[in-house]
């Protein structure tokens, strides 16, 4: 196992009715900006619950944060913060709202051009406003990690950033607020969390037995409960387990001391930047093709994944690897997520644009061995057509 520092300062408040407990989390004299998305939080009553819980506070609201949140929208929120002397942010929504809030928290305190935050991957962040979140969509893990992804439509770029100053102080996870999720968003969330686990697990053996065991347990939970959640929209136990799984998938726990991949994510971000395909759907396209392409460097872990997660133990190594790649693809399809580029209107001609964007963004040495070059990415994308 590699050396690591592990610290996660985010407090989790989990369970039914917990939005009412917000008051205990926010200082009484805070001037709070509530940030939300395109209106689901209003329609579902979550914003109403938040307003009720914080009725005694000085509140300002900022809505309209898009899925795949936009830089220009985030900068408008920074203006609102400055005009109103806001000193605490509360994100109410999914990964997009929470990611945007992280960026806004840092941009509000940044002296130079806030675009630097993204081109530096967050390295220039030296201060950020404190913030918390009320999560409405289990998927990204943003509620308990320090990273985010922001899209700049004008520049055709979707860039990740992270900083220890960007952990939420707290996140409220009430599984009941996920009952209103459309099937597409629920399926996206399951697939995104699944690929987060895979990116930290399906690399090469590093004698990290506990992390491997946790990762396999989280994967099996998603395989069992993901399809069931789509069939039974108001089953509390299923929603609760999915929500906690998605958080644990990307809060640092299973990623401590192990090699990381993230190539599917980096390639997927460029697909989203190209045509706004949902984040999780880009992953469901790239991952099966990448697993097949990278079967040599990933051989040992592919066989472990086949055996411990899917119970595939019979046949030659090649046959077991084929079978587990097929099982993974079928899992996404079973969730209603298509796994070919063509399903998202992308043909061979667009692959060059995606590869050029990877190069332009310095994504030229991807994967756990930093060995996936743009040429490899092109081959993987061609196999995903
Ligand atoms: O915008 P509103 O109206 O709120 O509707 C949202 C949005 O349309 C809707 N929604 C959310 N909660 C709902 C709901 N509808 C009904 N009932 C509810 N309870 O769902 C739609 C999608 O929301 P979004 O926040 O965009 O989805 P998600 O949580 O999947 O976040 C995706 C973003 O997170 C980034 C992705 O790149 C993408 O930009 N990621 C962030 C990561 C991180 N911070 O660690 C890691 C991930 O790999 C990912 O890259
Ligand atoms: Zn993701």
């Amino acid at each position: 196992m590699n050396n690591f520092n592990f610290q996660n300062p985010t407090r989790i408040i989990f369970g039914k009715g917990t939005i009412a407990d917000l008051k205990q989390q926010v200082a009484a004299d805070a001037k709070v900006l509530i940030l939300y998305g395109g209106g689901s939080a209003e329609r579902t009553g979550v914003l109403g619950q938040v307003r009720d819980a914080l009725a005694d506070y000085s509140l300002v609201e900022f809505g309209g944060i898009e899925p795949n949140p936009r830089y220009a929208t985030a900068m408008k929120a920074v203006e609102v913060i400055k005009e109103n002397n806001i000193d605490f942010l509360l994100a109410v929504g999914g990964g997009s709202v929470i990611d945007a809030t992280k960026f806004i928290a840092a941009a509000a305190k940044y002296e130079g051009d806030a675009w630097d935050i993204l081109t530096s991957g967050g390295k220039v962040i030296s201060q950020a406003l404190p913030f918390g979140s009320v999560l409405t969509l289990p998927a990204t893990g943003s509620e308990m990690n320090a990273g985010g992804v922001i899209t700049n439509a004008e520049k055709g770029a979707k860039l990740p950033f992270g900083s220890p100053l960007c952990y939420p102080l707290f996140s409220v996870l009430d599984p009941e607020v996920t009952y209103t999720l459309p099937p597409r968003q629920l399926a996206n969330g399951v697939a995104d969390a699944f690929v987060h686990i895979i990116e930290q697990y399906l690399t090469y053996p590093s004698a990290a037995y506990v992390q491997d065991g946790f990762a396999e347990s989280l994967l099996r939970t998603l395989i069992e409960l993901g399809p069931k959640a789509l069939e039974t929209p108001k089953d509390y136990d299923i929603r609760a387990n999915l929500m906690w799984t998605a958080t644990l998938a990307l809060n640092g726990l299973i990623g401590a001391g192990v090699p990381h991949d993230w190539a599917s994510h980096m390639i997927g971000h460029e697909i989203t930047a190209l045509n706004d395909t949902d984040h999780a759907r880009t992953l469901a396209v790239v991952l099966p093709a990448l697993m097949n392409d990278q079967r040599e460097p990933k051989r040992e872990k592919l066989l472990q994944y086949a055996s411990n997660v899917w119970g595939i133990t019979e046949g030659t190594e090649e046959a077991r690897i084929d079978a587990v790649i097929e099982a993974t693809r079928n899992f996404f399809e079973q969730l209603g997520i298509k796994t070919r580029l063509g399903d998202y209107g992308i043909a061979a001609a667009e692959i060059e644009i995606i590869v050029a964007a990877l190069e332009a963004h310095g994504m030229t040495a991807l994967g756990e061995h930093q060995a996936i070059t743009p040429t490899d990415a092109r081959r993987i994308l061609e196999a995903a057509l």
Side-chain angles (χ1 to χ4, degrees), residues 192 196 265 279 283:
D192 190 23
H196 293 159
H265 267 75
H279 169 64
L283 304 175

Side-chain angles (χ1 to χ4, degrees), residues 9-10 26 29-35 60 62 74-91 97-111 117 124-133 145-146 161 163-170:
T10 304
V26 184
D29 59 351
K31 186 136 197 232
V32 182
L33 180 66
I34 298 175
L35 299 116
V60 180
F62 183 90
M75 294 312 291
K76 283 187 196 147
V78 171
E79 289 304 312
V80 172
I81 289 169
K82 290 185 176 158
E83 282 160 19
N84 293 279
N85 295 318
I86 298 291
D87 54 22
F88 191 86
L89 309 183
L90 183 64
V97 174
I98 303 175
D99 282 10
T101 300
K102 291 175 181 178
F103 176 76
I104 292 161
K109 290 278 193 179
Y110 189 65
E111 308 264 310
I117 294 173
V124 299
I125 298 172
S126 60
Q127 295 177 71
L129 283 174
F131 67 96
S133 88
N145 69 38
F161 70 99
S163 161
L165 296 161
C166 289
Y167 281 100
L169 281 187
F170 64 82

Side-chain angles (χ1 to χ4, degrees), residues 1 3 20 36 43 51 54 62 105 108 114 133 196 211 217 225 264 275 361 383:
M1 200 189 313
N3 293 359
Y36 59 96
R43 283 195 305 278
R51 290 185 192 119
L54 297 179
F62 183 90
S133 88
H196 293 159
Q211 293 89 324
S217 160
L225 299 187
S264 295
N275 72 357
H361 300 138

Side-chain angles (χ1 to χ4, degrees), residues 52-71:
D52 288 350
L54 297 179
D56 304 337
Y57 287 72
S58 162
L59 298 179
V60 180
E61 296 185 7
F62 183 90
I65 294 172
E66 309 84 352
N68 304 315
R70 299 299 197 260
Y71 179 75

